[in-house]
Amino acid sequence: MKKGNTIFFKNSPRIVSYAAICGSKEKEGIIGGFADVTLDDDMYGETTYEKAERKMLVNSISLAIEKGGFNETDIDVLLSGDLLNQIISASFAARRYSFPFLGVYNACSTMSESILLAAALTDAGYIKRAVAATGSHFASAERQYRYPLELGCTRPPQAQWTVTGAGSCVVASGKEGIKVTSATMGRVCDYGVTDVNNMGAAMAPAAADTIMQHFKDTGKTPDDYDMILTGDLGALGSRIVKDLTWEKGYDISDRHVDCGEIIYKVIESEFQGGSGAGCSAVVLNSYVLSKMQAGLYKRILFAATGALLSTVSSGQGESIPCISHAVELEI
Amino acid sequence: MKKGNTIFFKNSPRIVSYAAICGSKEKEGIIGGFADVTLDDDMYGETTYEKAERKMLVNSISLAIEKGGFNETDIDVLLSGDLLNQIISASFAARRYSFPFLGVYNACSTMSESILLAAALTDAGYIKRAVAATGSHFASAERQYRYPLELGCTRPPQAQWTVTGAGSCVVASGKEGIKVTSATMGRVCDYGVTDVNNMGAAMAPAAADTIMQHFKDTGKTPDDYDMILTGDLGALGSRIVKDLTWEKGYDISDRHVDCGEIIYKVIESEFQGGSGAGCSAVVLNSYVLSKMQAGLYKRILFAATGALLSTVSSGQGESIPCISHAVELEI
């Protein structure tokens, strides 16, 4: 059933297991302690950043499958994407497995997009179990989107730091685990931001649009959620999303948490926090889901946010279209 | 319901309208006459190749909506992706519309992937109507994946030509239109091909794997289909897929057609035919669907094929992982 842009799942597909791997900088933050694996060396024993990123993704997928007590043959499909051109991390990760692969891409909103589709396919009874997975690597993202690390470019204060990490979860039918109650599909929003160093400002309107659409479609209010978790708006973007929703009559300020804001120790005058597909993937699939399982949070809205630009689109003078897909998780 | 890797749709979601736009070189081929719009100038009145590609995609989406007698508000979601880094054609196209957007990417298999997901969401009753769309542009693909056009590089005989074109269809619930009966999700196959000019050889094993999996899961044989349509294997790849399936006891030779092979006039010693996400999108959403509607083909298997490489993965010495998703279409 759908109302507005929100799909309501009849049979409540469940997140039955999850795993997260993060890098050395992430290890020092609050979230690092909740990840299954933390790296001391972000090369992860590989010869290139891209291969290190892929290895994190593969290992987080395998770990999520293993932690759920499953074998590879129990999985019906992998839904995954990442920030590298032609989502090679996801495609090459999928090569390691015998189950089918559906590639998805909505930048840093890929985690919620893949959970949304995994939940829909499971809820409808087409499949029994899907893995939703994504990740990113600071060094591979920097050299693809910005500058070679060797240049040592200075970062402006509105910049975020691409998270080195990967997160995966198994979405399955059944009665055990964390329910995926509903999912709100995001629309592309573009408020005309052209500063590629200010993703938070670009993405905040998309997050606000989806969160408010979710409230409208479900008839719920911010009070119905223990946490409203955005993907990677960072400190500035978080303030903007709270302002934008407050202006429309929704006060989310006392329960809004941003993955980008909590993954590192953020000092806003210095930098804004984390970003990248791995940011929300790591925070959700470690700290958040484990605290839900422990009963600390009963219901959360997870709205990962993505900036749909490329170096070519920005080079051609385009502003940054953004998107946010939201999934409602309940215990 | 799923058997093996094939989803069977209970309510037979329908392709109710479709549209295709193609470039000047495509116009000269057999398929060009069936496209809704053909360009005399591949710049399509834009200042960059990327913007021309985007304009084709946008116009094919709008045309498919219009041809079905729908308005923008009748559409629940757009499923789209393309070959440009970060699928900017799809994302920027989605910015033009008020409905939600789910970005997908499986290279040139994106057309069948997006129909598969659109059919699943529609069949399950989550949504009423989805647009599945993709496209490509020779010039934007050349400069991103290969060499600047200005270099005038010689093409080896095993190379294919990226199609300038876009195709879209509206998948809806109801009793009218072309049925989507089932869909087989592809696995990633990699036989170790590293020649980026020989996509046909790289992708043929993935096509063979999915086609044979489809026969196995559905209990059907090649004789049950009027046409088995692969995406963009080209002349050499088409011979390989026929060999690979024949070796396993399936003779598809008398009903196999490849979109890449029919879109241009192919002389194999000179070149292999068309490729790119736009190749199968244009052929399906013009010639094939119109001939199905006219009753010429009653049941076809559409298996678009994708090469999941990037310039970085090939530069790092990797072979080319490939995938093919198949949808069964019936009238």
Side-chain angles (χ1 to χ4, degrees), chain A residues 1-10 48-51 54 76-77 79-80 82-88 91-92 94-95 97-106 113 116-117 119-128 143-145 185-190 308-314 316 318-321 323 325, chain B residues 1-10 48-51 54 76-77 79-80 82-88 91-92 94-95 97-106 113 116-117 119-128 143-145 185-190 308-314 316 318-321 323 325:
Chain A
M1 210 262 286
K2 180 170 110 32
K3 197 181 158 203
N5 297 334
T6 303
I7 293 173
F8 294 86
F9 300 116
K10 306 175 279 290
T48 68
Y49 305 135
E50 289 75 16
K51 288 182 182 172
R54 186 183 312 165
D76 294 312
V77 63
L79 290 138
S80 183
D82 59 273
L83 302 183
L84 293 185
N85 297 343
Q86 288 72 54
I87 61 165
I88 49 166
S91 300
F92 279 79
R95 188 173 67 171
Y97 301 102
S98 57
F99 41 76
F101 167 56
L102 294 167
V104 291
Y105 179 81
N106 269 159
E113 187 196 8
L116 182 160
L117 285 169
L121 293 174
T122 309
D123 182 58
Y126 298 132
I127 59 167
K128 285 209 181 106
R143 75 168 166 192
Q144 179 185 281
Y145 287 106
M185 300 181 287
R187 286 182 292 223
V188 176
C189 294
D190 188 338
L308 304 171
L309 78 170
S310 80
T311 52
V312 169
S313 70
S314 291
Q316 293 182 355
E318 291 282 359
S319 55
I320 306 169
I323 200 160
H325 301 292
Chain B
M1 211 262 285
K2 178 168 114 25
K3 197 180 159 204
N5 296 335
T6 303
I7 294 173
F8 295 86
F9 300 117
K10 305 175 280 289
T48 68
Y49 306 134
E50 290 74 18
K51 287 182 183 174
R54 188 183 311 165
D76 293 312
V77 64
L79 290 138
S80 184
D82 59 273
L83 302 183
L84 294 184
N85 296 342
Q86 288 71 56
I87 61 166
I88 50 167
S91 300
F92 280 80
R95 186 173 69 171
Y97 301 101
S98 56
F99 41 76
F101 167 56
L102 294 167
V104 290
Y105 179 81
N106 269 159
E113 187 196 8
L116 182 159
L117 285 169
L121 293 174
T122 309
D123 182 58
Y126 297 133
I127 59 167
K128 284 210 183 104
R143 76 167 166 193
Q144 180 185 280
Y145 287 105
M185 301 182 287
R187 287 181 290 220
V188 176
C189 294
D190 188 337
L308 305 172
L309 78 171
S310 81
T311 53
V312 169
S313 69
S314 291
Q316 293 182 355
E318 291 282 0
S319 56
I320 307 169
I323 199 160
H325 302 290

Side-chain angles (χ1 to χ4, degrees), chain B:
Chain B
M1 211 262 285
K2 178 168 114 25
K3 197 180 159 204
N5 296 335
T6 303
I7 294 173
F8 295 86
F9 300 117
K10 305 175 280 289
N11 308 308
S12 299
R14 312 282 176 137
I15 295 177
V16 291
S17 63
Y18 48 88
I21 298 181
C22 68
S24 53
K25 185 178 166 74
E26 291 69 24
K27 188 180 174 176
E28 291 165 18
I30 315 152
I31 300 300
F34 294 88
D36 298 277
V37 179
T38 51
L39 309 181
D40 290 317
D41 175 6
D42 289 359
M43 289 303 287
Y44 208 179
E46 295 288 332
T47 50
T48 68
Y49 306 134
E50 290 74 18
K51 287 182 183 174
E53 177 176 328
R54 188 183 311 165
K55 189 175 175 180
M56 286 193 301
L57 189 60
V58 167
N59 287 356
S60 80
I61 294 168
S62 291
L63 206 52
I65 296 172
E66 198 187 306
K67 282 174 75 181
F70 304 117
N71 290 314
E72 200 178 315
T73 49
D74 296 320
I75 304 301
D76 293 312
V77 64
L78 168 68
L79 290 138
S80 184
D82 59 273
L83 302 183
L84 294 184
N85 296 342
Q86 288 71 56
I87 61 166
I88 50 167
S89 299
S91 300
F92 280 80
R95 186 173 69 171
R96 303 282 286 269
Y97 301 101
S98 56
F99 41 76
F101 167 56
L102 294 167
V104 290
Y105 179 81
N106 269 159
C108 309
S109 186
T110 301
M111 192 70 234
S112 50
E113 187 196 8
S114 57
I115 294 175
L116 182 159
L117 285 169
L121 293 174
T122 309
D123 182 58
Y126 297 133
I127 59 167
K128 284 210 183 104
R129 278 170 223 101
V131 176
T134 187
S136 54
H137 194 296
F138 171 74
S140 65
E142 281 301 304
R143 76 167 166 193
Q144 180 185 280
Y145 287 105
R146 295 174 193 96
Y147 303 100
L149 289 182
E150 294 79 357
L151 268 179
C153 289
T154 317
R155 303 169 71 79
Q158 72 273 31
Q160 291 167 259
W161 188 277
T162 304
V163 165
T164 299
S168 302
C169 58
V170 177
V171 179
S173 55
K175 300 278 166 214
E176 302 279 307
I178 295 158
K179 275 192 225 175
V180 187
T181 313
S182 71
T184 305
M185 301 182 287
R187 287 181 290 220
V188 176
C189 294
D190 188 337
Y191 275 28
V193 173
T194 52
D195 178 1
V196 294
N197 284 309
N198 197 351
M199 294 294 181
M203 294 192 293
D209 184 68
T210 299
I211 292 168
M212 292 190 292
Q213 183 70 43
H214 181 81
F215 293 147
K216 208 178 133 193
D217 295 344
T218 58
K220 293 200 175 98
T221 67
D223 291 344
D224 292 315
Y225 296 88
D226 295 322
M227 195 194 326
I228 293 165
L229 184 69
T230 50
D232 51 351
L233 299 176
L236 173 61
S238 291
R239 283 198 279 126
I240 299 173
V241 78
K242 279 180 268 203
D243 283 355
L244 288 172
T245 48
W246 183 81
E247 276 173 12
K248 302 277 182 185
Y250 297 101
D251 184 1
I252 62 167
S253 58
D254 62 341
R255 59 206 65 212
H256 172 262
V257 175
D258 183 69
C259 298
E261 224 179 353
I262 61 169
I263 196 161
Y264 304 121
K265 290 170 188 127
V266 173
I267 303 143
E268 201 181 330
S269 60
E270 287 177 19
F271 88 125
Q272 298 293 324
S275 71
C279 180
S280 61
V282 166
V283 175
L284 182 79
N285 292 294
S286 61
Y287 176 80
V288 175
L289 292 182
S290 68
K291 290 297 176 194
M292 282 198 84
Q293 249 183 344
L296 183 64
Y297 306 117
K298 300 259 187 278
R299 184 190 284 145
I300 72 155
L301 184 66
F302 171 57
T305 46
L308 305 172
L309 78 171
S310 81
T311 53
V312 169
S313 69
S314 291
Q316 293 182 355
E318 291 282 0
S319 56
I320 307 169
C322 295
I323 199 160
S324 172
H325 302 290
V327 287
E328 182 187 354
L329 304 176
E330 243 178 304
I331 193 97

